Amino acid sequence: MKLATLKGVYTIQAGDGFLENLAFGLIKTFPQEKLAQTRIYLPTRRACRDVTEAFLKHTKGAGLLPRAYPLGDVDEDDFNFSEVEPALVESEIATQLPPAISHTERNFLLAPLIQAKHTNENVSKLPLAGALRLAEALGKFLDDLTTEQTDPKAIKGLQPEFFAEHWQKVMQFLEIVIDAWPCVLDQRGQIDATTRRQALLNAQASLWLEQTPTSPVVIAGSTGSTKSTRALMTSLLTAPEGIIVLPGFELETNKAEIEAILNTPTHPQHVMMETLEHLELEPSDVQVWSGNESERHRSRRRFLQEAMRPAERVHQWRNLTSEELMGHTVLIRSLFT
């Protein structure tokens, strides 16, 4: 990294302290006045608090710190309360959106709808506790549809008559989120928190394309697991100092392993590989973040690289030298002592 210049996609590799290295790299690169103008978007509000502590640790004195905002696309518990403090200030101003309904309020409004549906189809009445559990699951399903930008009405096109009887009942139950729930929100003048968050992300992405940020902006710790986050990353890379820092992306990956990872949705690197494809970048375009890496961290990263090989590529373990095997053995022992 050149002095006071950062742009593009970086990674803080596995085994390193992510937030500490993020703070260390920014402090080492940017002068104090530029650091104060920097904005950092992190997955959760807890990460925002922790990165502030990391900056204080490395600055060792008074100084202006970057502003940190939560994106809310990883930690679900934190996401439930994201409407209290919108992360995306510019898009909040530019977009007139209804207020978000709270997680608890949504459950208690869905519960009577579930009880009514159950009573209509069964003789017995469903207890409130059971209805709340179903409301939690139904809300999670609704959030997943929103995150994937899928219209709930598309469910009706699945033609349940071709499925088993229990699936037909499930489809009838899902009519609550397809038909009844939107009417409840319209009457209350509210929207789901996930819907609001996605709208803000999309608005922010559009705003950055229209008004390119002139000060450094960092999206760090996000894997780009949602379409809206990837849109935000795409627009950020058009900025002169748009910075994306991926968590634990493996750089030493050949073409065969890249294809294996893309074909293995459960692999830890799969989402980030898909994100790079969306950004029209190659893994070789990802740069190593200049942090404060110890030899122990380097050894741990090499061990994790081998441990996380795709299943169809584990035969590569045979190519490890005796020195590498001994180093991994020593590391494993140190982790459990």
Side-chain angles (χ1 to χ4, degrees):
M1 292 187 297
K2 298 180 181 179
L3 183 63
T5 301
L6 284 175
K7 177 178 171 57
V9 182
Y10 297 82
T11 182
I12 296 175
Q13 295 183 291
D16 299 347
F18 185 86
L19 294 178
E20 284 201 10
N21 276 274
L22 177 67
F24 184 86
L26 290 173
I27 291 171
K28 186 171 66 173
T29 305
F30 292 151
Q32 182 63 228
E33 62 273 12
K34 196 167 190 177
L35 194 63
Q37 299 171 355
T38 302
R39 286 173 291 171
I40 305 175
Y41 293 87
L42 293 162
T44 67
R45 192 177 305 138
R46 176 181 294 180
C48 293
R49 292 194 298 266
D50 290 346
V51 79
T52 299
E53 293 178 4
F55 274 106
L56 292 173
K57 175 182 177 180
H58 288 294
T59 52
K60 298 180 180 180
L64 297 175
L65 303 180
R67 290 168 290 170
Y69 304 100
L71 284 173
D73 66 339
V74 174
D75 190 330
E76 188 176 333
D77 292 334
D78 181 84
F79 181 80
N80 291 332
F81 299 95
S82 62
E83 69 271 16
V84 177
E85 182 185 357
L88 310 172
V89 179
E90 294 92 339
S91 60
E92 176 72 25
I93 296 172
T95 307
Q96 298 299 321
L97 291 172
I101 190 168
S102 72
H103 178 76
T104 302
E105 187 178 13
R106 181 175 68 175
N107 282 352
F108 275 93
L109 288 172
L110 282 171
L113 298 177
I114 293 171
Q115 287 178 310
K117 187 80 170 174
H118 185 273
T119 302
N120 186 49
E121 297 175 359
N122 302 274
V123 178
S124 60
K125 183 179 180 181
L126 182 66
L128 179 59
L132 287 173
R133 285 195 296 269
L134 288 173
E136 179 75 25
L138 202 57
K140 175 70 166 59
F141 174 74
L142 187 60
D143 289 341
D144 289 343
L145 289 178
T146 303
T147 299
E148 295 300 324
Q149 298 182 7
T150 301
D151 187 351
K153 294 182 179 179
I155 298 173
K156 291 184 175 181
L158 294 179
Q159 298 178 315
E161 62 271 12
F162 293 107
F163 298 99
E165 182 180 353
H166 74 277
W167 179 242
Q168 295 184 37
K169 292 181 179 179
V170 170
M171 296 292 289
Q172 293 172 3
F173 177 72
L174 293 179
E175 290 177 357
I176 294 173
V177 295
I178 299 174
D179 300 320
W181 182 240
C183 296
V184 173
L185 288 176
D186 287 341
Q187 292 172 0
R188 298 175 63 86
Q190 294 175 301
I191 57 176
D192 284 308
T194 312
T195 303
R196 195 172 196 277
R197 174 62 62 181
Q198 296 300 308
L200 290 175
L201 287 168
N202 291 331
Q204 184 70 77
S206 299
L207 189 65
W208 280 348
L209 289 174
E210 296 173 5
Q211 303 174 20
T212 305
T214 55
S215 57
V217 179
V218 184
I219 295 178
S222 174
T223 59
S225 58
T226 69
K227 294 179 181 179
S228 296
T229 307
R230 289 176 184 174
L232 196 67
M233 290 177 170
T234 301
S235 62
L236 180 59
L237 290 181
T238 63
E241 291 182 291
I243 306 159
I244 297 171
V245 185
L246 298 174
F249 182 74
E250 182 51 60
L251 295 172
E252 299 175 13
T253 308
N254 57 42
K255 185 176 181 181
E257 290 189 352
I258 291 172
E259 292 179 357
I261 291 171
L262 286 171
N263 293 328
T264 311
T266 56
H267 193 277
Q269 300 284 322
H270 176 80
V271 172
M272 288 186 285
M273 284 291 186
E274 285 194 329
T275 297
L276 288 178
E277 277 198 332
H278 180 85
L279 297 175
E280 298 182 352
L281 295 175
E282 297 292 334
S284 58
D285 295 322
V286 180
Q287 308 166 69
V288 177
W289 185 259
S290 180
N292 188 17
E293 184 183 38
S294 66
E295 178 56 38
R296 178 180 174 83
H297 286 160
R298 283 191 287 270
S299 299
R300 184 181 300 174
R301 189 180 71 244
R302 288 193 293 270
F303 168 71
L304 289 174
Q305 177 188 355
E306 295 298 334
M308 294 299 177
R309 284 188 183 275
E312 60 189 79
R313 301 289 299 171
V314 294
H315 64 273
Q316 293 295 320
W317 289 344
R318 299 171 186 162
N319 299 329
L320 293 176
T321 65
S322 57
E323 291 80 7
E324 289 172 328
L325 287 171
M326 180 61 68
H328 293 331
T329 302
V330 171
L331 177 61
I332 292 172
R333 287 175 178 171
S334 69
L335 292 175
F336 292 97
T337 56

mmCIF file with all atom_site columns, all heavy atoms in Angstrom, residues 256-279:
data_model
loop_
_atom_site.group_PDB
_atom_site.id
_atom_site.type_symbol
_atom_site.label_atom_id
_atom_site.label_alt_id
_atom_site.label_comp_id
_atom_site.label_asym_id
_atom_site.label_entity_id
_atom_site.label_seq_id
_atom_site.pdbx_PDB_ins_code
_atom_site.Cartn_x
_atom_site.Cartn_y
_atom_site.Cartn_z
_atom_site.occupancy
_atom_site.B_iso_or_equiv
_atom_site.pdbx_formal_charge
_atom_site.auth_seq_id
_atom_site.auth_comp_id
_atom_site.auth_asym_id
_atom_site.auth_atom_id
_atom_site.pdbx_PDB_model_num
ATOM 1   N N   . ALA A 1 256 ? -8.190  -24.755 -10.690 1.00 0.00 ? 256 ALA A N   1
ATOM 2   C CA  . ALA A 1 256 ? -8.963  -25.969 -10.381 1.00 0.00 ? 256 ALA A CA  1
ATOM 3   C C   . ALA A 1 256 ? -9.672  -25.826 -9.034  1.00 0.00 ? 256 ALA A C   1
ATOM 4   O O   . ALA A 1 256 ? -10.833 -26.220 -8.885  1.00 0.00 ? 256 ALA A O   1
ATOM 5   C CB  . ALA A 1 256 ? -8.053  -27.191 -10.382 1.00 0.00 ? 256 ALA A CB  1
ATOM 6   N N   . GLU A 1 257 ? -8.994  -25.248 -8.046  1.00 0.00 ? 257 GLU A N   1
ATOM 7   C CA  . GLU A 1 257 ? -9.600  -25.092 -6.727  1.00 0.00 ? 257 GLU A CA  1
ATOM 8   C C   . GLU A 1 257 ? -10.679 -24.011 -6.744  1.00 0.00 ? 257 GLU A C   1
ATOM 9   O O   . GLU A 1 257 ? -11.676 -24.113 -6.033  1.00 0.00 ? 257 GLU A O   1
ATOM 10  C CB  . GLU A 1 257 ? -8.529  -24.780 -5.691  1.00 0.00 ? 257 GLU A CB  1
ATOM 11  C CG  . GLU A 1 257 ? -7.626  -25.962 -5.407  1.00 0.00 ? 257 GLU A CG  1
ATOM 12  C CD  . GLU A 1 257 ? -6.698  -25.720 -4.235  1.00 0.00 ? 257 GLU A CD  1
ATOM 13  O OE1 . GLU A 1 257 ? -6.657  -24.575 -3.754  1.00 0.00 ? 257 GLU A OE1 1
ATOM 14  O OE2 . GLU A 1 257 ? -6.023  -26.672 -3.803  1.00 0.00 ? 257 GLU A OE2 1
ATOM 15  N N   . ILE A 1 258 ? -10.487 -22.973 -7.547  1.00 0.00 ? 258 ILE A N   1
ATOM 16  C CA  . ILE A 1 258 ? -11.517 -21.931 -7.679  1.00 0.00 ? 258 ILE A CA  1
ATOM 17  C C   . ILE A 1 258 ? -12.813 -22.534 -8.207  1.00 0.00 ? 258 ILE A C   1
ATOM 18  O O   . ILE A 1 258 ? -13.897 -22.279 -7.685  1.00 0.00 ? 258 ILE A O   1
ATOM 19  C CB  . ILE A 1 258 ? -11.023 -20.799 -8.604  1.00 0.00 ? 258 ILE A CB  1
ATOM 20  C CG1 . ILE A 1 258 ? -9.896  -20.008 -7.932  1.00 0.00 ? 258 ILE A CG1 1
ATOM 21  C CG2 . ILE A 1 258 ? -12.181 -19.856 -8.957  1.00 0.00 ? 258 ILE A CG2 1
ATOM 22  C CD1 . ILE A 1 258 ? -9.222  -19.012 -8.841  1.00 0.00 ? 258 ILE A CD1 1
ATOM 23  N N   . GLU A 1 259 ? -12.694 -23.366 -9.251  1.00 0.00 ? 259 GLU A N   1
ATOM 24  C CA  . GLU A 1 259 ? -13.879 -24.016 -9.815  1.00 0.00 ? 259 GLU A CA  1
ATOM 25  C C   . GLU A 1 259 ? -14.526 -24.947 -8.800  1.00 0.00 ? 259 GLU A C   1
ATOM 26  O O   . GLU A 1 259 ? -15.756 -25.028 -8.698  1.00 0.00 ? 259 GLU A O   1
ATOM 27  C CB  . GLU A 1 259 ? -13.493 -24.780 -11.082 1.00 0.00 ? 259 GLU A CB  1
ATOM 28  C CG  . GLU A 1 259 ? -13.085 -23.884 -12.243 1.00 0.00 ? 259 GLU A CG  1
ATOM 29  C CD  . GLU A 1 259 ? -12.679 -24.679 -13.470 1.00 0.00 ? 259 GLU A CD  1
ATOM 30  O OE1 . GLU A 1 259 ? -12.670 -25.924 -13.382 1.00 0.00 ? 259 GLU A OE1 1
ATOM 31  O OE2 . GLU A 1 259 ? -12.373 -24.056 -14.507 1.00 0.00 ? 259 GLU A OE2 1
ATOM 32  N N   . ALA A 1 260 ? -13.692 -25.658 -8.022  1.00 0.00 ? 260 ALA A N   1
ATOM 33  C CA  . ALA A 1 260 ? -14.232 -26.568 -7.001  1.00 0.00 ? 260 ALA A CA  1
ATOM 34  C C   . ALA A 1 260 ? -14.979 -25.791 -5.922  1.00 0.00 ? 260 ALA A C   1
ATOM 35  O O   . ALA A 1 260 ? -16.040 -26.214 -5.457  1.00 0.00 ? 260 ALA A O   1
ATOM 36  C CB  . ALA A 1 260 ? -13.096 -27.384 -6.385  1.00 0.00 ? 260 ALA A CB  1
ATOM 37  N N   . ILE A 1 261 ? -14.446 -24.646 -5.535  1.00 0.00 ? 261 ILE A N   1
ATOM 38  C CA  . ILE A 1 261 ? -15.094 -23.820 -4.512  1.00 0.00 ? 261 ILE A CA  1
ATOM 39  C C   . ILE A 1 261 ? -16.422 -23.270 -5.025  1.00 0.00 ? 261 ILE A C   1
ATOM 40  O O   . ILE A 1 261 ? -17.431 -23.258 -4.318  1.00 0.00 ? 261 ILE A O   1
ATOM 41  C CB  . ILE A 1 261 ? -14.160 -22.671 -4.071  1.00 0.00 ? 261 ILE A CB  1
ATOM 42  C CG1 . ILE A 1 261 ? -12.970 -23.244 -3.280  1.00 0.00 ? 261 ILE A CG1 1
ATOM 43  C CG2 . ILE A 1 261 ? -14.910 -21.640 -3.233  1.00 0.00 ? 261 ILE A CG2 1
ATOM 44  C CD1 . ILE A 1 261 ? -11.885 -22.241 -2.995  1.00 0.00 ? 261 ILE A CD1 1
ATOM 45  N N   . LEU A 1 262 ? -16.434 -22.816 -6.278  1.00 0.00 ? 262 LEU A N   1
ATOM 46  C CA  . LEU A 1 262 ? -17.673 -22.285 -6.860  1.00 0.00 ? 262 LEU A CA  1
ATOM 47  C C   . LEU A 1 262 ? -18.742 -23.365 -6.991  1.00 0.00 ? 262 LEU A C   1
ATOM 48  O O   . LEU A 1 262 ? -19.938 -23.067 -6.950  1.00 0.00 ? 262 LEU A O   1
ATOM 49  C CB  . LEU A 1 262 ? -17.382 -21.669 -8.229  1.00 0.00 ? 262 LEU A CB  1
ATOM 50  C CG  . LEU A 1 262 ? -16.648 -20.319 -8.219  1.00 0.00 ? 262 LEU A CG  1
ATOM 51  C CD1 . LEU A 1 262 ? -16.228 -19.924 -9.624  1.00 0.00 ? 262 LEU A CD1 1
ATOM 52  C CD2 . LEU A 1 262 ? -17.523 -19.226 -7.600  1.00 0.00 ? 262 LEU A CD2 1
ATOM 53  N N   . ASN A 1 263 ? -18.318 -24.604 -7.109  1.00 0.00 ? 263 ASN A N   1
ATOM 54  C CA  . ASN A 1 263 ? -19.261 -25.719 -7.215  1.00 0.00 ? 263 ASN A CA  1
ATOM 55  C C   . ASN A 1 263 ? -19.614 -26.329 -5.864  1.00 0.00 ? 263 ASN A C   1
ATOM 56  O O   . ASN A 1 263 ? -20.348 -27.317 -5.811  1.00 0.00 ? 263 ASN A O   1
ATOM 57  C CB  . ASN A 1 263 ? -18.682 -26.811 -8.127  1.00 0.00 ? 263 ASN A CB  1
ATOM 58  C CG  . ASN A 1 263 ? -18.570 -26.353 -9.561  1.00 0.00 ? 263 ASN A CG  1
ATOM 59  O OD1 . ASN A 1 263 ? -19.378 -25.564 -10.039 1.00 0.00 ? 263 ASN A OD1 1
ATOM 60  N ND2 . ASN A 1 263 ? -17.554 -26.846 -10.260 1.00 0.00 ? 263 ASN A ND2 1
ATOM 61  N N   . THR A 1 264 ? -19.103 -25.725 -4.778  1.00 0.00 ? 264 THR A N   1
ATOM 62  C CA  . THR A 1 264 ? -19.358 -26.235 -3.424  1.00 0.00 ? 264 THR A CA  1
ATOM 63  C C   . THR A 1 264 ? -19.961 -25.111 -2.584  1.00 0.00 ? 264 THR A C   1
ATOM 64  O O   . THR A 1 264 ? -19.233 -24.356 -1.933  1.00 0.00 ? 264 THR A O   1
ATOM 65  C CB  . THR A 1 264 ? -18.060 -26.747 -2.772  1.00 0.00 ? 264 THR A CB  1
ATOM 66  O OG1 . THR A 1 264 ? -17.378 -27.621 -3.667  1.00 0.00 ? 264 THR A OG1 1
ATOM 67  C CG2 . THR A 1 264 ? -18.366 -27.480 -1.466  1.00 0.00 ? 264 THR A CG2 1
ATOM 68  N N   . PRO A 1 265 ? -21.292 -24.978 -2.584  1.00 0.00 ? 265 PRO A N   1
ATOM 69  C CA  . PRO A 1 265 ? -21.931 -23.864 -1.862  1.00 0.00 ? 265 PRO A CA  1
ATOM 70  C C   . PRO A 1 265 ? -21.624 -23.826 -0.370  1.00 0.00 ? 265 PRO A C   1
ATOM 71  O O   . PRO A 1 265 ? -21.717 -22.753 0.244   1.00 0.00 ? 265 PRO A O   1
ATOM 72  C CB  . PRO A 1 265 ? -23.430 -24.104 -2.109  1.00 0.00 ? 265 PRO A CB  1
ATOM 73  C CG  . PRO A 1 265 ? -23.485 -24.911 -3.361  1.00 0.00 ? 265 PRO A CG  1
ATOM 74  C CD  . PRO A 1 265 ? -22.270 -25.787 -3.323  1.00 0.00 ? 265 PRO A CD  1
ATOM 75  N N   . THR A 1 266 ? -21.266 -24.959 0.230   1.00 0.00 ? 266 THR A N   1
ATOM 76  C CA  . THR A 1 266 ? -21.002 -24.990 1.669   1.00 0.00 ? 266 THR A CA  1
ATOM 77  C C   . THR A 1 266 ? -19.567 -24.602 2.009   1.00 0.00 ? 266 THR A C   1
ATOM 78  O O   . THR A 1 266 ? -19.232 -24.493 3.195   1.00 0.00 ? 266 THR A O   1
ATOM 79  C CB  . THR A 1 266 ? -21.277 -26.403 2.227   1.00 0.00 ? 266 THR A CB  1
ATOM 80  O OG1 . THR A 1 266 ? -20.483 -27.356 1.508   1.00 0.00 ? 266 THR A OG1 1
ATOM 81  C CG2 . THR A 1 266 ? -22.751 -26.760 2.082   1.00 0.00 ? 266 THR A CG2 1
ATOM 82  N N   . HIS A 1 267 ? -18.722 -24.400 1.020   1.00 0.00 ? 267 HIS A N   1
ATOM 83  C CA  . HIS A 1 267 ? -17.326 -24.053 1.303   1.00 0.00 ? 267 HIS A CA  1
ATOM 84  C C   . HIS A 1 267 ? -17.231 -22.629 1.844   1.00 0.00 ? 267 HIS A C   1
ATOM 85  O O   . HIS A 1 267 ? -17.935 -21.729 1.372   1.00 0.00 ? 267 HIS A O   1
ATOM 86  C CB  . HIS A 1 267 ? -16.481 -24.185 0.029   1.00 0.00 ? 267 HIS A CB  1
ATOM 87  C CG  . HIS A 1 267 ? -15.007 -24.157 0.287   1.00 0.00 ? 267 HIS A CG  1
ATOM 88  N ND1 . HIS A 1 267 ? -14.310 -22.981 0.434   1.00 0.00 ? 267 HIS A ND1 1
ATOM 89  C CD2 . HIS A 1 267 ? -14.102 -25.162 0.461   1.00 0.00 ? 267 HIS A CD2 1
ATOM 90  C CE1 . HIS A 1 267 ? -13.033 -23.257 0.664   1.00 0.00 ? 267 HIS A CE1 1
ATOM 91  N NE2 . HIS A 1 267 ? -12.882 -24.563 0.690   1.00 0.00 ? 267 HIS A NE2 1
ATOM 92  N N   . PRO A 1 268 ? -16.364 -22.392 2.847   1.00 0.00 ? 268 PRO A N   1
ATOM 93  C CA  . PRO A 1 268 ? -16.252 -21.056 3.456   1.00 0.00 ? 268 PRO A CA  1
ATOM 94  C C   . PRO A 1 268 ? -15.899 -19.944 2.476   1.00 0.00 ? 268 PRO A C   1
ATOM 95  O O   . PRO A 1 268 ? -16.224 -18.783 2.719   1.00 0.00 ? 268 PRO A O   1
ATOM 96  C CB  . PRO A 1 268 ? -15.142 -21.235 4.504   1.00 0.00 ? 268 PRO A CB  1
ATOM 97  C CG  . PRO A 1 268 ? -15.126 -22.695 4.804   1.00 0.00 ? 268 PRO A CG  1
ATOM 98  C CD  . PRO A 1 268 ? -15.512 -23.384 3.537   1.00 0.00 ? 268 PRO A CD  1
ATOM 99  N N   . GLN A 1 269 ? -15.230 -20.293 1.359   1.00 0.00 ? 269 GLN A N   1
ATOM 100 C CA  . GLN A 1 269 ? -14.823 -19.276 0.391   1.00 0.00 ? 269 GLN A CA  1
ATOM 101 C C   . GLN A 1 269 ? -15.848 -19.081 -0.727  1.00 0.00 ? 269 GLN A C   1
ATOM 102 O O   . GLN A 1 269 ? -15.673 -18.199 -1.567  1.00 0.00 ? 269 GLN A O   1
ATOM 103 C CB  . GLN A 1 269 ? -13.480 -19.686 -0.236  1.00 0.00 ? 269 GLN A CB  1
ATOM 104 C CG  . GLN A 1 269 ? -12.352 -19.840 0.753   1.00 0.00 ? 269 GLN A CG  1
ATOM 105 C CD  . GLN A 1 269 ? -11.796 -18.512 1.229   1.00 0.00 ? 269 GLN A CD  1
ATOM 106 O OE1 . GLN A 1 269 ? -11.685 -17.564 0.466   1.00 0.00 ? 269 GLN A OE1 1
ATOM 107 N NE2 . GLN A 1 269 ? -11.457 -18.439 2.505   1.00 0.00 ? 269 GLN A NE2 1
ATOM 108 N N   . HIS A 1 270 ? -16.913 -19.884 -0.752  1.00 0.00 ? 270 HIS A N   1
ATOM 109 C CA  . HIS A 1 270 ? -17.839 -19.894 -1.884  1.00 0.00 ? 270 HIS A CA  1
ATOM 110 C C   . HIS A 1 270 ? -18.485 -18.529 -2.114  1.00 0.00 ? 270 HIS A C   1
ATOM 111 O O   . HIS A 1 270 ? -18.501 -18.023 -3.242  1.00 0.00 ? 270 HIS A O   1
ATOM 112 C CB  . HIS A 1 270 ? -18.921 -20.955 -1.656  1.00 0.00 ? 270 HIS A CB  1
ATOM 113 C CG  . HIS A 1 270 ? -19.975 -20.978 -2.718  1.00 0.00 ? 270 HIS A CG  1
ATOM 114 N ND1 . HIS A 1 270 ? -19.792 -21.607 -3.938  1.00 0.00 ? 270 HIS A ND1 1
ATOM 115 C CD2 . HIS A 1 270 ? -21.226 -20.439 -2.756  1.00 0.00 ? 270 HIS A CD2 1
ATOM 116 C CE1 . HIS A 1 270 ? -20.880 -21.450 -4.674  1.00 0.00 ? 270 HIS A CE1 1
ATOM 117 N NE2 . HIS A 1 270 ? -21.761 -20.754 -3.994  1.00 0.00 ? 270 HIS A NE2 1
ATOM 118 N N   . VAL A 1 271 ? -19.019 -17.926 -1.065  1.00 0.00 ? 271 VAL A N   1
ATOM 119 C CA  . VAL A 1 271 ? -19.736 -16.655 -1.219  1.00 0.00 ? 271 VAL A CA  1
ATOM 120 C C   . VAL A 1 271 ? -18.788 -15.571 -1.722  1.00 0.00 ? 271 VAL A C   1
ATOM 121 O O   . VAL A 1 271 ? -19.146 -14.783 -2.614  1.00 0.00 ? 271 VAL A O   1
ATOM 122 C CB  . VAL A 1 271 ? -20.389 -16.239 0.117   1.00 0.00 ? 271 VAL A CB  1
ATOM 123 C CG1 . VAL A 1 271 ? -20.975 -14.829 0.010   1.00 0.00 ? 271 VAL A CG1 1
ATOM 124 C CG2 . VAL A 1 271 ? -21.487 -17.221 0.500   1.00 0.00 ? 271 VAL A CG2 1
ATOM 125 N N   . MET A 1 272 ? -17.576 -15.522 -1.190  1.00 0.00 ? 272 MET A N   1
ATOM 126 C CA  . MET A 1 272 ? -16.628 -14.490 -1.624  1.00 0.00 ? 272 MET A CA  1
ATOM 127 C C   . MET A 1 272 ? -16.198 -14.700 -3.071  1.00 0.00 ? 272 MET A C   1
ATOM 128 O O   . MET A 1 272 ? -15.994 -13.729 -3.806  1.00 0.00 ? 272 MET A O   1
ATOM 129 C CB  . MET A 1 272 ? -15.431 -14.437 -0.685  1.00 0.00 ? 272 MET A CB  1
ATOM 130 C CG  . MET A 1 272 ? -15.768 -13.836 0.677   1.00 0.00 ? 272 MET A CG  1
ATOM 131 S SD  . MET A 1 272 ? -14.340 -13.593 1.767   1.00 0.00 ? 272 MET A SD  1
ATOM 132 C CE  . MET A 1 272 ? -14.041 -15.294 2.282   1.00 0.00 ? 272 MET A CE  1
ATOM 133 N N   . MET A 1 273 ? -16.071 -15.962 -3.488  1.00 0.00 ? 273 MET A N   1
ATOM 134 C CA  . MET A 1 273 ? -15.752 -16.232 -4.894  1.00 0.00 ? 273 MET A CA  1
ATOM 135 C C   . MET A 1 273 ? -16.880 -15.738 -5.798  1.00 0.00 ? 273 MET A C   1
ATOM 136 O O   . MET A 1 273 ? -16.639 -15.151 -6.859  1.00 0.00 ? 273 MET A O   1
ATOM 137 C CB  . MET A 1 273 ? -15.536 -17.732 -5.101  1.00 0.00 ? 273 MET A CB  1
ATOM 138 C CG  . MET A 1 273 ? -14.201 -18.247 -4.591  1.00 0.00 ? 273 MET A CG  1
ATOM 139 S SD  . MET A 1 273 ? -12.810 -17.640 -5.568  1.00 0.00 ? 273 MET A SD  1
ATOM 140 C CE  . MET A 1 273 ? -11.478 -18.582 -4.811  1.00 0.00 ? 273 MET A CE  1
ATOM 141 N N   . GLU A 1 274 ? -18.127 -15.981 -5.381  1.00 0.00 ? 274 GLU A N   1
ATOM 142 C CA  . GLU A 1 274 ? -19.268 -15.480 -6.155  1.00 0.00 ? 274 GLU A CA  1
ATOM 143 C C   . GLU A 1 274 ? -19.287 -13.950 -6.181  1.00 0.00 ? 274 GLU A C   1
ATOM 144 O O   . GLU A 1 274 ? -19.620 -13.348 -7.212  1.00 0.00 ? 274 GLU A O   1
ATOM 145 C CB  . GLU A 1 274 ? -20.567 -16.013 -5.566  1.00 0.00 ? 274 GLU A CB  1
ATOM 146 C CG  . GLU A 1 274 ? -20.856 -17.461 -5.876  1.00 0.00 ? 274 GLU A CG  1
ATOM 147 C CD  . GLU A 1 274 ? -22.284 -17.860 -5.563  1.00 0.00 ? 274 GLU A CD  1
ATOM 148 O OE1 . GLU A 1 274 ? -22.876 -17.277 -4.624  1.00 0.00 ? 274 GLU A OE1 1
ATOM 149 O OE2 . GLU A 1 274 ? -22.822 -18.733 -6.267  1.00 0.00 ? 274 GLU A OE2 1
ATOM 150 N N   . THR A 1 275 ? -18.942 -13.335 -5.061  1.00 0.00 ? 275 THR A N   1
ATOM 151 C CA  . THR A 1 275 ? -18.898 -11.872 -5.002  1.00 0.00 ? 275 THR A CA  1
ATOM 152 C C   . THR A 1 275 ? -17.871 -11.322 -5.977  1.00 0.00 ? 275 THR A C   1
ATOM 153 O O   . THR A 1 275 ? -18.125 -10.338 -6.681  1.00 0.00 ? 275 THR A O   1
ATOM 154 C CB  . THR A 1 275 ? -18.578 -11.404 -3.575  1.00 0.00 ? 275 THR A CB  1
ATOM 155 O OG1 . THR A 1 275 ? -19.625 -11.820 -2.693  1.00 0.00 ? 275 THR A OG1 1
ATOM 156 C CG2 . THR A 1 275 ? -18.436 -9.890  -3.510  1.00 0.00 ? 275 THR A CG2 1
ATOM 157 N N   . LEU A 1 276 ? -16.699 -11.936 -6.042  1.00 0.00 ? 276 LEU A N   1
ATOM 158 C CA  . LEU A 1 276 ? -15.673 -11.496 -6.991  1.00 0.00 ? 276 LEU A CA  1
ATOM 159 C C   . LEU A 1 276 ? -16.152 -11.641 -8.427  1.00 0.00 ? 276 LEU A C   1
ATOM 160 O O   . LEU A 1 276 ? -15.886 -10.778 -9.275  1.00 0.00 ? 276 LEU A O   1
ATOM 161 C CB  . LEU A 1 276 ? -14.381 -12.282 -6.786  1.00 0.00 ? 276 LEU A CB  1
ATOM 162 C CG  . LEU A 1 276 ? -13.577 -11.955 -5.527  1.00 0.00 ? 276 LEU A CG  1
ATOM 163 C CD1 . LEU A 1 276 ? -12.349 -12.848 -5.441  1.00 0.00 ? 276 LEU A CD1 1
ATOM 164 C CD2 . LEU A 1 276 ? -13.172 -10.488 -5.496  1.00 0.00 ? 276 LEU A CD2 1
ATOM 165 N N   . GLU A 1 277 ? -16.866 -12.735 -8.717  1.00 0.00 ? 277 GLU A N   1
ATOM 166 C CA  . GLU A 1 277 ? -17.441 -12.901 -10.057 1.00 0.00 ? 277 GLU A CA  1
ATOM 167 C C   . GLU A 1 277 ? -18.403 -11.769 -10.369 1.00 0.00 ? 277 GLU A C   1
ATOM 168 O O   . GLU A 1 277 ? -18.405 -11.226 -11.481 1.00 0.00 ? 277 GLU A O   1
ATOM 169 C CB  . GLU A 1 277 ? -18.158 -14.245 -10.156 1.00 0.00 ? 277 GLU A CB  1
ATOM 170 C CG  . GLU A 1 277 ? -17.260 -15.418 -10.472 1.00 0.00 ? 277 GLU A CG  1
ATOM 171 C CD  . GLU A 1 277 ? -18.028 -16.632 -10.979 1.00 0.00 ? 277 GLU A CD  1
ATOM 172 O OE1 . GLU A 1 277 ? -19.209 -16.778 -10.607 1.00 0.00 ? 277 GLU A OE1 1
ATOM 173 O OE2 . GLU A 1 277 ? -17.459 -17.427 -11.744 1.00 0.00 ? 277 GLU A OE2 1
ATOM 174 N N   . HIS A 1 278 ? -19.245 -11.417 -9.382  1.00 0.00 ? 278 HIS A N   1
ATOM 175 C CA  . HIS A 1 278 ? -20.202 -10.321 -9.581  1.00 0.00 ? 278 HIS A CA  1
ATOM 176 C C   . HIS A 1 278 ? -19.470 -9.000  -9.820  1.00 0.00 ? 278 HIS A C   1
ATOM 177 O O   . HIS A 1 278 ? -19.915 -8.173  -10.628 1.00 0.00 ? 278 HIS A O   1
ATOM 178 C CB  . HIS A 1 278 ? -21.110 -10.201 -8.355  1.00 0.00 ? 278 HIS A CB  1
ATOM 179 C CG  . HIS A 1 278 ? -22.115 -9.106  -8.452  1.00 0.00 ? 278 HIS A CG  1
ATOM 180 N ND1 . HIS A 1 278 ? -23.346 -9.267  -9.080  1.00 0.00 ? 278 HIS A ND1 1
ATOM 181 C CD2 . HIS A 1 278 ? -22.084 -7.814  -8.028  1.00 0.00 ? 278 HIS A CD2 1
ATOM 182 C CE1 . HIS A 1 278 ? -24.012 -8.132  -9.030  1.00 0.00 ? 278 HIS A CE1 1
ATOM 183 N NE2 . HIS A 1 278 ? -23.275 -7.234  -8.394  1.00 0.00 ? 278 HIS A NE2 1
ATOM 184 N N   . LEU A 1 279 ? -18.352 -8.803  -9.134  1.00 0.00 ? 279 LEU A N   1
ATOM 185 C CA  . LEU A 1 279 ? -17.574 -7.576  -9.292  1.00 0.00 ? 279 LEU A CA  1
ATOM 186 C C   . LEU A 1 279 ? -16.693 -7.609  -10.528 1.00 0.00 ? 279 LEU A C   1
ATOM 187 O O   . LEU A 1 279 ? -15.977 -6.642  -10.811 1.00 0.00 ? 279 LEU A O   1
ATOM 188 C CB  . LEU A 1 279 ? -16.693 -7.356  -8.051  1.00 0.00 ? 279 LEU A CB  1
ATOM 189 C CG  . LEU A 1 279 ? -17.421 -7.154  -6.716  1.00 0.00 ? 279 LEU A CG  1
ATOM 190 C CD1 . LEU A 1 279 ? -16.417 -7.072  -5.566  1.00 0.00 ? 279 LEU A CD1 1
ATOM 191 C CD2 . LEU A 1 279 ? -18.286 -5.915  -6.748  1.00 0.00 ? 279 LEU A CD2 1
#
